[in-house]
């Protein structure tokens, strides 16, 4: 169009449906002269008249063009929301995990939640994503080409790629890659605005309307997940009730009976998480092929409450969470009242002496007094 017809379309990337846009103006140009719609740009204006050239700029300064662009944007948003709703209600989804090849049937959220929970790979809430199948195929193709999804470097083999993504915590997509924008509903909300610009506007609006009165503040806590199943609860109290009723596991009672402090609770939770993740019963040590089989076994044999000896789970390795951002760990009690008198004494801080003046230190050190007392006793 530029070369053959000298027509320039401004901000072409902001046109939601380019094909419909072109068809509309093709029809209008047959009805009226191009100059009725376009601004005329003359180049080489200082050259002789026969060497001068005119270009025609079609942009949204023209009200008709602006209305057309907005209408195309609304139509595209309507189509995207209809597609999203269809995917949300679809129960015929079939897909495999990109990291463990486990296959999932039903709704797309099952697979997305699995990858977020089991592999710490979170591409966003299922309800925020559209054209999910195409999105997953795009990501799978990158992995098949041995390309890291975050830094987008290419590696020599699959194992090297897996180690890289795990060690560098690159199990996430690159937010700067515009290729992914079309898979998020937020990018269709406003004409010409990306998700980053929309978020910046929201943040700025909050800053502009900040008030000193926080009396109407409503906290929305993140959901905590059950140790044995996929159940989520908005409060830790509800989760405790669920685990006791459904799995006969009473964490507050165990904490009280065993006298667990905060760090011991953390290690116990991480230990149980890891055993369940590995489909292993911590009560008898038997390993199962699926979590469903493990759960049936533990509930039938009442092994959920059959904890192993303390030395098994009270290990340094269980300071580290099995799942990233495990909300249950954030809700454990860490009050000083949980500590026994002996534990209080164990945590008395020791302040070292100033060693910057070593000679003076040797003369005034309390160790001199202890040595003198020892020599007197001798």
């Amino acid at each position: 169009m530029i070369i053959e017809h000298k027509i320039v379309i401004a901000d072409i990337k902001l046109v939601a449906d380019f094909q419909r846009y072109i068809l509309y103006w093709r029809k209008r140009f047959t009805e009226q002269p191009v100059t009725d719609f376009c601004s005329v740009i003359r180049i080489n204006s200082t050259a002789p008249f026969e060497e001068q050239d005119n270009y025609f700029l079609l942009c949204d300064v023209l009200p008709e063009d602006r209305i057309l662009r907005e209408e195309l944007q609304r139509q595209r948003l309507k189509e995207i929301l209809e597609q999203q709703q269809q995917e949300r209600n679809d129960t015929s989804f079939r897909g495999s995990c990109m990291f463990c090849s486990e296959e999932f049937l039903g709704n797309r959220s099952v697979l997305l939640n699995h990858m977020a929970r089991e592999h710490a790979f979170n591409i966003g809430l299922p309800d925020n994503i559209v054209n999910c199948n195409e999105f997953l195929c795009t990501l799978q193709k990158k992995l098949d080409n041995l390309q890291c999804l975050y830094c987008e470097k290419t590696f020599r083999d699959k194992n090297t790629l897996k180690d890289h993504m795990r060690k560098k915590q690159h199990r996430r997509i690159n937010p700067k890659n515009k290729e992914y924008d079309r898979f998020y509903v937020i990018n269709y909300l406003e004409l010409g605005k990306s998700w980053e610009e929309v978020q910046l506007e929201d943040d700025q609006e909050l800053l502009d309307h900040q008030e000193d009165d926080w009396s109407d503040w409503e906290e929305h806590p993140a959901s905590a997940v059950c140790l044995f199943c996929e159940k989520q609860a908005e409060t830790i109290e509800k989760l405790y009730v669920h685990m006791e009723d459904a799995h006969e596991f009473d964490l507050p009672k165990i904490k009280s009976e065993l006298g667990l402090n905060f760090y011991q609770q953390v290690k116990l939770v991480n230990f149980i998480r890891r055993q369940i993740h590995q489909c292993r019963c911590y009560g008898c040590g038997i390993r199962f092929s699926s979590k469903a089989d493990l759960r049936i076994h533990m509930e039938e044999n009442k092994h959920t409450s059959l904890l192993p000896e303390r030395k098994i789970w009270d290990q340094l390795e269980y300071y580290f969470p099995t799942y990233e951002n495990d909300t249950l760990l954030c809700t454990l009690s860490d009050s000083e009242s949980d500590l026994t008198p002996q534990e209080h004494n164990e945590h008395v801080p020791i302040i070292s002496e100033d060693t910057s003046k070593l000679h003076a230190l040797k003369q005034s050190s309390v160790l001199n007094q202890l040595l003198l007392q020892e020599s007197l006793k001798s």
Side-chain angles (χ1 to χ4, degrees):
M1 291 180 66
I2 293 175
I3 296 173
E4 296 295 332
H5 305 286
K6 302 186 183 336
I7 292 180
V8 180
I9 300 175
D11 296 321
I12 195 170
K13 65 178 182 179
L14 304 184
V15 178
D17 191 324
F18 186 65
Q19 185 176 4
R20 292 182 193 172
Y21 182 85
I22 290 296
L23 290 174
Y24 176 88
W25 283 116
R26 179 179 179 176
K27 180 176 182 295
R28 293 291 284 134
F29 288 165
T30 62
E31 298 170 350
Q32 293 176 235
V34 172
T35 51
D36 286 356
F37 307 106
C38 299
S39 302
V40 179
I41 304 173
R42 178 170 295 175
I43 63 172
N44 297 333
S45 58
T46 58
F49 182 78
E50 61 274 7
E51 295 181 12
Q52 294 180 11
D53 221 342
N54 290 336
Y55 280 78
F56 305 96
L57 177 65
L58 182 61
C59 64
D60 60 1
V61 173
L62 179 71
E64 185 176 351
D65 187 86
R66 179 69 182 178
I67 292 171
L68 174 61
R69 291 176 184 237
E70 291 175 347
E71 179 59 29
L72 292 175
Q73 176 71 16
R74 281 193 291 270
Q75 291 179 15
R76 173 56 57 87
L77 178 59
K78 180 182 177 182
E79 293 168 1
I80 287 296
L81 293 177
E82 289 175 352
Q83 174 67 21
Q84 183 206 30
Q85 188 62 40
Q86 179 184 342
E87 292 180 15
R88 290 174 64 182
N89 298 332
D90 181 27
T91 58
S92 61
F93 174 85
R94 185 188 189 98
S96 298
C97 174
M98 293 185 289
F99 301 99
C100 67
S101 299
E102 185 175 348
E103 193 169 283
F104 293 87
L105 302 175
N107 189 272
R108 60 183 184 157
S109 61
V110 180
L111 172 56
L112 297 181
N113 290 335
H114 163 82
M115 291 194 294
R117 177 182 171 83
E118 302 293 340
H119 306 288
F121 179 71
N122 190 352
I123 58 175
L125 295 174
D127 286 349
N128 295 339
I129 294 173
V130 68
N131 296 320
C132 186
N133 281 334
E134 184 185 354
F135 194 6
L136 294 175
C137 287
T138 300
L139 297 176
Q140 185 64 59
K141 186 176 180 180
K142 288 181 179 291
L143 292 177
D144 292 342
N145 291 332
L146 305 178
Q147 186 178 24
C148 173
L149 297 178
Y150 182 73
C151 68
E152 301 185 341
K153 294 180 181 177
T154 302
F155 294 83
R156 65 176 182 271
D157 55 55
K158 197 169 185 178
N159 288 332
T160 306
L161 171 61
K162 289 171 65 176
D163 288 343
H164 161 81
M165 293 181 68
R166 177 176 56 83
K167 291 177 181 178
K168 296 291 185 180
Q169 296 186 348
H170 282 190
R171 283 191 175 178
R172 47 194 170 133
I173 63 173
N174 182 359
K176 301 295 183 183
N177 190 333
K178 302 298 182 184
E179 180 185 4
Y180 303 132
D181 286 357
R182 68 182 187 275
F183 301 118
Y184 292 93
V185 175
I186 192 172
N187 291 304
Y188 298 90
L189 296 182
E190 291 191 52
L191 181 64
K193 292 182 180 177
S194 67
W195 63 271
E196 292 173 308
E197 293 169 316
V198 173
Q199 282 192 340
L200 282 174
E201 281 189 354
D202 293 342
D203 292 343
Q204 189 60 46
E205 185 178 348
L206 288 173
L207 292 172
D208 292 342
H209 294 85
Q210 276 186 342
E211 297 178 0
D212 294 332
D213 183 14
W214 293 77
S215 59
D216 60 346
W217 173 264
E218 293 184 9
E219 186 175 3
H220 299 281
S223 298
V225 182
C226 174
L227 289 169
F228 305 100
C229 68
E230 305 296 326
K231 172 69 176 178
Q232 298 185 29
E234 293 182 356
T235 65
I236 190 62
E237 290 76 15
K238 291 181 180 179
L239 186 64
Y240 285 158
V241 170
H242 161 76
M243 289 195 292
E244 184 176 0
D245 293 344
H247 309 292
E248 297 184 13
F249 184 84
D250 191 341
L251 185 57
K253 182 179 178 182
I254 292 172
K255 169 193 166 185
S256 176
E257 291 179 348
L258 298 181
L260 304 182
N261 62 30
F262 171 72
Y263 296 104
Q264 290 168 332
Q265 293 176 69
V266 167
K267 287 188 277 189
L268 178 60
V269 168
N270 288 334
F271 167 78
I272 294 176
R273 288 274 196 226
R274 189 178 302 181
Q275 301 305 304
I276 301 301
H277 175 70
Q278 296 172 345
C279 297
R280 181 185 290 111
C281 174
Y282 55 73
C284 62
I286 298 177
R287 192 162 186 170
F288 294 83
S289 59
S290 69
K291 289 183 181 178
D293 293 339
L294 169 65
R295 189 158 53 243
I296 292 172
H297 160 81
M298 295 186 73
E299 291 175 358
E300 288 181 349
N301 294 278
K302 300 187 182 302
H303 281 187
T304 51
S305 57
L306 187 61
L307 292 176
E309 297 179 41
R310 186 188 292 247
K311 64 181 181 181
I312 300 297
W313 54 264
D314 197 358
Q315 301 289 336
L316 292 177
E317 63 182 291
Y318 296 115
Y319 274 129
F320 303 98
T322 303
Y323 300 127
E324 189 176 8
N325 300 324
D326 189 344
T327 309
L328 179 56
L329 297 176
C330 302
T331 61
L332 299 175
S333 172
D334 60 351
S335 63
E336 287 293 316
S337 60
D338 291 336
L339 301 176
T340 64
Q342 180 182 0
E343 289 164 341
H344 273 293
N345 294 333
E346 289 176 354
H347 291 84
V348 174
I350 299 174
I351 303 175
S352 64
E353 296 181 87
D354 183 9
T355 59
S356 59
K357 298 179 180 179
L358 191 57
H359 179 72
L361 175 63
K362 290 180 178 179
Q363 297 299 320
S364 60
S365 175
V366 293
L367 293 176
N368 291 330
Q369 299 176 18
L370 294 174
L371 290 172
L372 180 60
Q373 292 174 5
E374 285 295 319
S375 61
L376 291 175
K377 288 180 181 179
S378 301

